[in-house]
Amino acid sequence: MSDRSRSFPLIRGPVAMVLALFAVLTAVTIVLVATPREAAAASLREVTGFGSNPGNLQMFRYVPDNLPSGRPVVVAMHGCTQNASGYASGTGWMQLADRHGFTVVFPQQRSQNNANSCFNWFEPGDTRRGSGEALSINQMVDKAEQDNGATSAYVSGLSAGGAMTSVMLATYPDVFAGGGVIAGLPFGCATSVATAYSCMSPGTDLTPAQWGDKVRAAASYSGPRPKVSIWHGAADTTVRPMNANELVEQFTNANGTDQTPEVRDTVAGYPHRVYGGTVEQYEITGMGHGHPVDPGSGAAQCGTAGAYILDVNICSAHYLVKFWGIDGTQPTPTATPTGPTSSPTTTRPPYTETATGTPTDHYIAGRVDVTEYNILGARHGYTTTITLYRCGNDWTDKADCSPLVVGYA
């Protein structure tokens, strides 16, 4: 940082005494005025000293006012040429944090690490567990969790941030319960700048098992894998839409499900597919390279359009939060669509109540029986926090009130 300080001539004599007295009176006035003021409202703030930070990244954080202890942490990573502040205000993540109650961490790349401010998702030293930028981001999560007693974390990002999301899901599956890859790329697609460009366009075609092997090799882990939501513009010429299909293959294989979707529907008019309850894909027809937003004050709306933040009438952050199941603090909406719907004009959701907890929590509360408990455990993981929806007298994990029965994912 450049030194912006300036030298001023030294003032002596009676003028100096007057100035000194004025300074004292001003200071007293400031104290008297400032003392009764309330603490500053929630804002995006830089956090330092969060760890060894081998990737030399900056950490910014947004914590809603009066956030209860234990609420989740969401990591949101900007794309190339962007920064944390612009991404935070444009994508709607701070809106969602206020609405549902969670902390958001916004890592920021430094220009000395990458001239275009891209996260280095293609550099081997930055994409291994315990190394480089991947470790720095994990240290940010540790810091945020320790400060608020959180026990769950989620990660999302756009473009290079989306590719880095794939890195974090592969290298730290024990840390993240869910992820959202927006206009991103599969983990392990590139190991240099040259291969990064070929991965972006035209793309790299591997088998699901080959992609899955890259994820399994990234960390020694046998627990439940994170849920992954994949978003891509069908008209994206920067990161070709082929990458979305390769991402589906990679994470369905890693998560132990096949590549045949059990759910095919539309959300806000866009094709949406769900694989085994652990991977979903949104194809945003007509959209180029960017993060989908839907500016407005409705319960399903968020964001402000800008460069690479595109108003396409669907708020990806809103649907990510729902897919991850961390929207349990939101009152049941009465005037906006919720879950998989075919039109944004739905006036009332089909369910009457929501409840958030692990499958065990739901079983103890009497919402599900033993058979349904095992279905939820197999589908989401027994220790994963999920949202159930009350439809009549029954509970389901589907916001459209599709029944919770064997064979339905």
Side-chain angles (χ1 to χ4, degrees):
M1 181 179 296
S2 61
D3 185 359
R4 298 178 180 269
S5 62
R6 297 180 181 178
S7 298
F8 291 89
L10 184 62
I11 301 175
R12 296 184 175 89
V15 175
M17 295 177 62
V18 172
L19 291 175
L21 179 59
F22 177 78
V24 171
L25 292 174
T26 302
V28 171
T29 302
I30 291 173
V31 170
L32 291 175
V33 172
T35 299
R37 292 179 62 186
E38 297 180 356
S43 61
L44 185 67
R45 300 182 181 184
E46 184 170 7
V47 178
T48 59
F50 55 84
S52 59
N53 191 18
N56 191 33
L57 302 178
Q58 290 178 273
M59 174 183 177
F60 291 83
R61 177 172 60 182
Y62 181 79
V63 182
D65 292 330
N66 304 313
L67 180 69
S69 177
R71 290 298 296 160
V73 173
V74 172
V75 177
M77 291 185 280
H78 64 76
C80 297
T81 73
Q82 296 178 317
N83 59 30
S85 176
Y87 194 67
S89 61
T91 56
W93 274 117
M94 293 191 293
Q95 279 179 270
L96 270 293
D98 287 332
R99 189 178 298 169
H100 300 296
F102 52 78
T103 296
V104 192
V105 170
F106 296 95
Q108 180 169 292
Q109 182 61 281
R110 297 179 188 268
S111 59
Q112 56 262 48
N113 298 339
N114 185 292
N116 293 317
S117 297
C118 308
F119 292 102
N120 288 313
W121 59 272
F122 47 84
E123 293 286 357
D126 287 308
T127 58
R128 289 194 296 263
R129 184 181 176 99
S131 175
E133 292 179 10
L135 178 55
S136 291
I137 295 166
N138 184 59
Q139 290 174 343
M140 296 180 196
V141 174
D142 287 344
K143 170 64 174 173
E145 288 184 333
Q146 291 165 8
D147 286 351
N148 197 54
T151 59
S152 62
Y154 303 82
V155 59
S156 180
L158 165 67
S159 192
M164 203 67 190
T165 295
S166 298
V167 170
M168 301 311 296
L169 293 172
T171 56
Y172 290 95
D174 53 327
V175 172
F176 297 102
V181 183
I182 303 173
L185 300 104
F187 170 71
C189 186
T191 56
S192 66
V193 173
T195 53
Y197 278 111
S198 64
C199 283
M200 291 166 60
S201 180
T204 299
D205 183 16
L206 299 181
T207 67
Q210 288 173 320
W211 283 126
D213 285 344
K214 291 178 180 292
V215 172
R216 285 182 285 271
S220 178
Y221 180 69
S222 58
R225 291 279 174 179
K227 300 178 69 173
V228 185
S229 184
I230 298 160
W231 296 67
H232 217 106
D236 191 337
T237 57
T238 301
V239 178
R240 295 287 181 175
M242 172 184 176
N243 285 285
N245 299 327
E246 301 303 303
L247 279 161
V248 168
E249 292 183 356
Q250 179 166 66
F251 286 106
T252 52
N253 185 267
N255 287 11
T257 187
D258 59 30
Q259 290 76 52
T260 301
E262 292 84 6
V263 176
R264 288 179 179 269
D265 59 5
T266 58
V267 178
Y270 296 112
H272 170 243
R273 294 174 285 278
V274 183
Y275 304 81
T278 68
V279 177
E280 69 171 357
Q281 179 183 13
Y282 283 86
E283 179 185 354
I284 310 302
T285 51
M287 190 182 83
H289 190 65
H291 181 113
V293 296
D294 182 15
S297 58
Q301 293 182 294
C302 74
T304 302
Y308 303 110
I309 299 176
L310 308 177
D311 180 1
V312 290
N313 299 317
I314 185 169
C315 168
S316 55
H318 167 78
Y319 287 100
L320 285 174
V321 167
K322 294 194 70 63
F323 183 64
W324 296 336
I326 60 173
D327 61 337
T329 59
Q330 180 191 27
T332 302
T334 58
T336 55
T338 303
T341 60
S342 58
S343 169
T345 60
T346 302
T347 58
R348 185 176 297 276
Y351 56 85
T352 59
E353 184 181 354
T354 64
T356 302
T358 65
T360 301
D361 294 332
H362 293 309
Y363 175 73
I364 292 174
R367 301 183 191 105
V368 297
D369 59 26
V370 172
T371 299
E372 294 166 332
Y373 164 74
N374 286 323
I375 292 172
L376 290 175
R379 184 178 298 165
H380 303 286
Y382 287 94
T383 61
T384 301
T385 299
I386 58 175
T387 298
L388 293 189
Y389 305 87
R390 186 168 186 169
C391 305
N393 293 324
D394 298 320
W395 292 84
T396 175
D397 59 346
K398 301 296 180 182
D400 62 357
C401 280
S402 300
L404 176 60
V405 295
V406 176
Y408 187 88

